[in-house]
PDB file of all heavy atoms in Angstrom:
ATOM      1  N   VAL A 135     -12.578  52.325 -13.037  1.00  0.00           N
ATOM      2  CA  VAL A 135     -13.091  53.260 -12.070  1.00  0.00           C
ATOM      3  C   VAL A 135     -12.093  54.285 -11.561  1.00  0.00           C
ATOM      4  O   VAL A 135     -12.337  55.370 -11.282  1.00  0.00           O
ATOM      5  CB  VAL A 135     -13.886  52.514 -10.974  1.00  0.00           C
ATOM      6  CG1 VAL A 135     -12.840  51.798 -10.134  1.00  0.00           C
ATOM      7  CG2 VAL A 135     -14.703  53.605 -10.056  1.00  0.00           C
ATOM      8  N   GLU A 136     -10.799  53.776 -11.537  1.00  0.00           N
ATOM      9  CA  GLU A 136      -9.757  54.607 -11.086  1.00  0.00           C
ATOM     10  C   GLU A 136      -9.483  55.776 -11.987  1.00  0.00           C
ATOM     11  O   GLU A 136      -8.699  56.752 -11.588  1.00  0.00           O
ATOM     12  CB  GLU A 136      -8.463  53.800 -10.889  1.00  0.00           C
ATOM     13  CG  GLU A 136      -8.532  52.785  -9.724  1.00  0.00           C
ATOM     14  CD  GLU A 136      -9.039  51.352 -10.231  1.00  0.00           C
ATOM     15  OE1 GLU A 136      -9.504  51.348 -11.360  1.00  0.00           O
ATOM     16  OE2 GLU A 136      -9.030  50.373  -9.474  1.00  0.00           O
ATOM     17  N   TRP A 137      -9.856  55.780 -13.194  1.00  0.00           N
ATOM     18  CA  TRP A 137      -9.756  56.905 -14.139  1.00  0.00           C
ATOM     19  C   TRP A 137     -10.891  57.789 -14.042  1.00  0.00           C
ATOM     20  O   TRP A 137     -11.020  58.748 -14.865  1.00  0.00           O
ATOM     21  CB  TRP A 137      -9.611  56.316 -15.552  1.00  0.00           C
ATOM     22  CG  TRP A 137      -8.505  55.465 -15.803  1.00  0.00           C
ATOM     23  CD1 TRP A 137      -7.534  54.999 -14.978  1.00  0.00           C
ATOM     24  CD2 TRP A 137      -8.115  54.764 -17.092  1.00  0.00           C
ATOM     25  NE1 TRP A 137      -6.659  54.117 -15.570  1.00  0.00           N
ATOM     26  CE2 TRP A 137      -6.963  54.010 -16.978  1.00  0.00           C
ATOM     27  CE3 TRP A 137      -8.687  54.895 -18.518  1.00  0.00           C
ATOM     28  CZ2 TRP A 137      -6.377  53.404 -17.884  1.00  0.00           C
ATOM     29  CZ3 TRP A 137      -8.108  54.221 -19.406  1.00  0.00           C
ATOM     30  CH2 TRP A 137      -6.894  53.513 -19.139  1.00  0.00           C
ATOM     31  N   THR A 138     -11.779  57.699 -13.162  1.00  0.00           N
ATOM     32  CA  THR A 138     -12.936  58.467 -12.976  1.00  0.00           C
ATOM     33  C   THR A 138     -13.153  59.012 -11.538  1.00  0.00           C
ATOM     34  O   THR A 138     -12.336  58.672 -10.691  1.00  0.00           O
ATOM     35  CB  THR A 138     -14.241  57.786 -13.385  1.00  0.00           C
ATOM     36  OG1 THR A 138     -14.571  56.795 -12.224  1.00  0.00           O
ATOM     37  CG2 THR A 138     -13.941  56.780 -14.611  1.00  0.00           C
ATOM     38  N   ASP A 139     -14.215  59.851 -11.423  1.00  0.00           N
ATOM     39  CA  ASP A 139     -14.482  60.279 -10.061  1.00  0.00           C
ATOM     40  C   ASP A 139     -15.596  59.388  -9.380  1.00  0.00           C
ATOM     41  O   ASP A 139     -16.006  59.718  -8.338  1.00  0.00           O
ATOM     42  CB  ASP A 139     -15.028  61.754 -10.082  1.00  0.00           C
ATOM     43  CG  ASP A 139     -16.309  61.907 -10.738  1.00  0.00           C
ATOM     44  OD1 ASP A 139     -16.787  60.971 -11.439  1.00  0.00           O
ATOM     45  OD2 ASP A 139     -16.931  62.974 -10.729  1.00  0.00           O
ATOM     46  N   GLY A 140     -15.894  58.372 -10.014  1.00  0.00           N
ATOM     47  CA  GLY A 140     -16.836  57.362  -9.443  1.00  0.00           C
ATOM     48  C   GLY A 140     -18.242  57.912  -9.379  1.00  0.00           C
ATOM     49  O   GLY A 140     -19.111  57.384  -8.664  1.00  0.00           O
ATOM     50  N   GLY A 141     -18.487  59.077 -10.042  1.00  0.00           N
ATOM     51  CA  GLY A 141     -19.840  59.666  -9.954  1.00  0.00           C
ATOM     52  C   GLY A 141     -19.953  60.527  -8.685  1.00  0.00           C
ATOM     53  O   GLY A 141     -21.188  60.990  -8.441  1.00  0.00           O
ATOM     54  N   LEU A 142     -18.920  60.720  -7.955  1.00  0.00           N
ATOM     55  CA  LEU A 142     -19.066  61.477  -6.645  1.00  0.00           C
ATOM     56  C   LEU A 142     -18.611  62.881  -6.733  1.00  0.00           C
ATOM     57  O   LEU A 142     -18.940  63.687  -5.801  1.00  0.00           O
ATOM     58  CB  LEU A 142     -18.167  60.769  -5.590  1.00  0.00           C
ATOM     59  CG  LEU A 142     -18.432  59.233  -5.424  1.00  0.00           C
ATOM     60  CD1 LEU A 142     -17.516  58.608  -4.348  1.00  0.00           C
ATOM     61  CD2 LEU A 142     -19.892  59.055  -5.033  1.00  0.00           C
ATOM     62  N   GLY A 143     -18.111  63.372  -7.833  1.00  0.00           N
ATOM     63  CA  GLY A 143     -17.681  64.691  -8.102  1.00  0.00           C
ATOM     64  C   GLY A 143     -16.605  65.202  -7.137  1.00  0.00           C
ATOM     65  O   GLY A 143     -16.495  66.336  -6.867  1.00  0.00           O
ATOM     66  N   GLU A 144     -15.713  64.211  -6.606  1.00  0.00           N
ATOM     67  CA  GLU A 144     -14.653  64.599  -5.742  1.00  0.00           C
ATOM     68  C   GLU A 144     -13.234  64.285  -6.100  1.00  0.00           C
ATOM     69  O   GLU A 144     -12.343  64.077  -5.458  1.00  0.00           O
ATOM     70  CB  GLU A 144     -14.930  63.932  -4.389  1.00  0.00           C
ATOM     71  CG  GLU A 144     -16.293  64.292  -3.668  1.00  0.00           C
ATOM     72  CD  GLU A 144     -16.514  63.450  -2.451  1.00  0.00           C
ATOM     73  OE1 GLU A 144     -15.703  62.655  -2.101  1.00  0.00           O
ATOM     74  OE2 GLU A 144     -17.590  63.749  -1.901  1.00  0.00           O
ATOM     75  N   GLY A 145     -13.179  64.263  -7.472  1.00  0.00           N
ATOM     76  CA  GLY A 145     -11.790  63.962  -8.133  1.00  0.00           C
ATOM     77  C   GLY A 145     -11.649  62.452  -8.218  1.00  0.00           C
ATOM     78  O   GLY A 145     -12.559  61.571  -7.919  1.00  0.00           O
ATOM     79  N   PRO A 146     -10.496  61.946  -8.737  1.00  0.00           N
ATOM     80  CA  PRO A 146     -10.251  60.564  -9.045  1.00  0.00           C
ATOM     81  C   PRO A 146     -10.397  59.698  -7.755  1.00  0.00           C
ATOM     82  O   PRO A 146     -10.064  60.064  -6.685  1.00  0.00           O
ATOM     83  CB  PRO A 146      -8.752  60.456  -9.537  1.00  0.00           C
ATOM     84  CG  PRO A 146      -8.479  61.858 -10.104  1.00  0.00           C
ATOM     85  CD  PRO A 146      -9.281  62.743  -9.158  1.00  0.00           C
ATOM     86  N   VAL A 147     -11.008  58.491  -7.982  1.00  0.00           N
ATOM     87  CA  VAL A 147     -11.275  57.558  -6.847  1.00  0.00           C
ATOM     88  C   VAL A 147     -10.349  56.359  -6.933  1.00  0.00           C
ATOM     89  O   VAL A 147      -9.776  56.187  -7.944  1.00  0.00           O
ATOM     90  CB  VAL A 147     -12.771  57.080  -6.811  1.00  0.00           C
ATOM     91  CG1 VAL A 147     -13.705  58.280  -6.580  1.00  0.00           C
ATOM     92  CG2 VAL A 147     -13.165  56.420  -8.174  1.00  0.00           C
ATOM     93  N   THR A 148     -10.283  55.619  -5.902  1.00  0.00           N
ATOM     94  CA  THR A 148      -9.404  54.444  -5.903  1.00  0.00           C
ATOM     95  C   THR A 148     -10.166  53.126  -5.963  1.00  0.00           C
ATOM     96  O   THR A 148      -9.587  52.066  -6.153  1.00  0.00           O
ATOM     97  CB  THR A 148      -8.524  54.372  -4.524  1.00  0.00           C
ATOM     98  OG1 THR A 148      -9.512  54.339  -3.443  1.00  0.00           O
ATOM     99  CG2 THR A 148      -7.657  55.585  -4.519  1.00  0.00           C
ATOM    100  N   GLY A 149     -11.498  53.274  -5.956  1.00  0.00           N
ATOM    101  CA  GLY A 149     -12.289  52.086  -6.078  1.00  0.00           C
ATOM    102  C   GLY A 149     -13.767  52.398  -6.103  1.00  0.00           C
ATOM    103  O   GLY A 149     -14.217  53.588  -6.128  1.00  0.00           O
ATOM    104  N   MET A 150     -14.567  51.331  -6.222  1.00  0.00           N
ATOM    105  CA  MET A 150     -16.023  51.541  -6.487  1.00  0.00           C
ATOM    106  C   MET A 150     -16.687  51.191  -5.244  1.00  0.00           C
ATOM    107  O   MET A 150     -16.521  50.057  -4.723  1.00  0.00           O
ATOM    108  CB  MET A 150     -16.532  50.671  -7.660  1.00  0.00           C
ATOM    109  CG  MET A 150     -17.904  50.966  -8.105  1.00  0.00           C
ATOM    110  SD  MET A 150     -18.377  49.899  -9.518  1.00  0.00           S
ATOM    111  CE  MET A 150     -17.355  50.646 -10.772  1.00  0.00           C
ATOM    112  N   ARG A 151     -17.504  52.114  -4.630  1.00  0.00           N
ATOM    113  CA  ARG A 151     -18.230  51.814  -3.417  1.00  0.00           C
ATOM    114  C   ARG A 151     -19.458  51.032  -3.703  1.00  0.00           C
ATOM    115  O   ARG A 151     -19.924  51.142  -4.865  1.00  0.00           O
ATOM    116  CB  ARG A 151     -18.569  53.142  -2.815  1.00  0.00           C
ATOM    117  CG  ARG A 151     -17.495  54.003  -2.312  1.00  0.00           C
ATOM    118  CD  ARG A 151     -17.757  55.412  -1.853  1.00  0.00           C
ATOM    119  NE  ARG A 151     -18.653  55.230  -0.568  1.00  0.00           N
ATOM    120  CZ  ARG A 151     -19.187  56.334  -0.023  1.00  0.00           C
ATOM    121  NH1 ARG A 151     -19.202  57.377  -0.567  1.00  0.00           N
ATOM    122  NH2 ARG A 151     -19.897  56.063   1.129  1.00  0.00           N
TER     123      ARG A 151
END
Side-chain angles (χ1 to χ4, degrees):
V135 67
E136 294 87 350
W137 297 4
T138 77
D139 70 347
L142 304 178
E144 300 173 358
V147 296
T148 58
M150 190 177 290
R151 299 173 66 188

